[in-house]
Amino acid sequence: DTAVSQTPKYLVTQMGNDKSIKCEQNLGHDTMYWYKQDSKKFLKIMFSYNNKELIINETVPNRFSPKSPDKAHLNLHINSLELGDSAVYFCASSQENTQYFGPGTRLTVL
Amino acid sequence: QKEVEQDPGPLSVPEGAIVSLNCTYSNSAFQYFMWYRQYSRKGPELLMYTYSSGNKEDGRFTAQVDKSSKYISLFIRDSQPSDSATYLCAMFYNFNKFYFGSGTKLNVKP
């Protein structure tokens, strides 16, 4: 059983398009996250939700909008995609002080 | 100054060598320390987790925390080619926010 899953795994799209990435966790954790990982492997936190409530909102363009329909799901919608949005996006979940990651979504904006 | 500093490497060692990976940090409030292993095109995988100062051993891996020096280490004994990956340190104290190092790329040559 996959603990944290993301779809799609790969996303190739044109500049200006709108796209969504979905995340689900079956660990029963209360907190979920979105991270962006650049080509140098640096993991930058974008958002965090605790039990459907936004608790971390880092300096991210407002073209990025997270949504948590329930505590097991956290989706990321991106409007008007730009070349600089190309990266790997990881979803993660945590309970207390350990965090588990999904397999990532590799987004390429052409 | 970044919260967590990690030498990006790459670090190249022969099979069987002892590997030492390190991170320094600036926030003395950090209490929980983690090491993640990330294979190419995969999500980070939790490898070791320690609380406060001291050592923790798990098979060939030993995690060490020195809070007085704000320094953590991961030692890999008898390194194997399958250990080739990027290793990320992470830290946490509260507010559900994890702080990551930039990762050290390790290559173990057969």
Side-chain angles (χ1 to χ4, degrees):
Chain A
D1 260 355
T2 305
V4 183
S5 59
Q6 292 178 233
T7 53
K9 195 169 181 181
Y10 298 96
L11 194 48
V12 181
T13 188
Q14 299 285 334
M15 255 177 29
N17 283 351
D18 303 339
K19 289 293 176 186
S20 291
I21 309 171
K22 295 188 174 184
C23 178
E24 177 181 358
Q25 54 98 1
N26 62 7
L27 296 166
H29 290 169
D30 288 333
T31 310
M32 296 183 73
Y33 305 78
W34 279 112
Y35 286 89
K36 180 181 180 181
Q37 189 174 50
D38 60 26
S39 56
K40 293 186 179 178
K41 295 290 191 182
F42 183 65
L43 272 168
K44 181 183 174 188
I45 189 166
M46 300 173 71
F47 303 103
S48 176
Y49 273 73
N50 181 269
N51 211 1
K52 300 194 297 174
E53 185 179 336
L54 181 66
I55 56 169
I56 295 173
N57 185 354
E58 294 292 293
T59 309
V60 175
N62 57 16
R63 299 181 294 104
F64 290 79
S65 51
K67 190 168 277 188
S68 181
D70 55 62
K71 76 172 196 178
H73 296 84
L74 180 61
N75 303 324
L76 182 66
H77 187 77
I78 315 170
N79 288 326
S80 304
L81 278 154
E82 299 179 357
L83 293 176
D85 298 332
S86 295
V88 182
Y89 292 83
F90 285 102
C91 176
S93 73
S94 75
Q95 190 77 2
E96 297 179 349
N97 39 49
T98 50
Q99 192 171 59
Y100 297 88
F101 284 82
T105 296
R106 185 171 293 270
L107 171 64
T108 303
V109 182
L110 303 174
Chain B
Q1 184 188 10
K2 281 186 187 173
E3 298 264 12
V4 182
E5 299 275 2
Q6 186 175 7
D7 187 336
L11 183 60
S12 189
V13 301
E15 184 175 353
I18 297 174
V19 175
S20 172
L21 303 165
N22 311 295
C23 287
T24 58
Y25 61 94
S26 56
N27 190 341
S28 57
F30 286 134
Q31 293 184 338
Y32 301 93
F33 305 90
M34 288 138 277
W35 285 96
Y36 286 83
R37 177 176 61 195
Q38 187 176 17
Y39 290 115
S40 182
R41 295 186 171 259
K42 300 285 186 184
E45 166 197 8
L46 182 63
L47 198 59
M48 298 282 286
Y49 159 75
T50 55
Y51 170 70
S52 197
S53 283
N55 291 1
K56 183 176 182 179
E57 195 172 311
D58 183 1
R60 295 184 296 110
F61 299 88
T62 300
Q64 193 173 78
V65 175
D66 182 348
K67 292 188 80 179
S68 61
S69 303
K70 298 194 184 72
Y71 190 86
I72 70 168
S73 300
L74 177 70
F75 297 97
I76 308 174
R77 288 185 300 281
D78 188 25
S79 56
Q80 304 293 310
S82 59
D83 296 327
S84 297
T86 296
Y87 290 80
L88 298 135
C89 62
M91 304 177 192
F92 173 87
Y93 63 99
N94 61 12
F95 304 119
N96 295 298
K97 190 169 177 180
F98 290 76
Y99 295 81
F100 283 85
S102 53
T104 300
K105 187 169 184 178
L106 172 66
N107 180 31
V108 181
K109 297 174 290 185

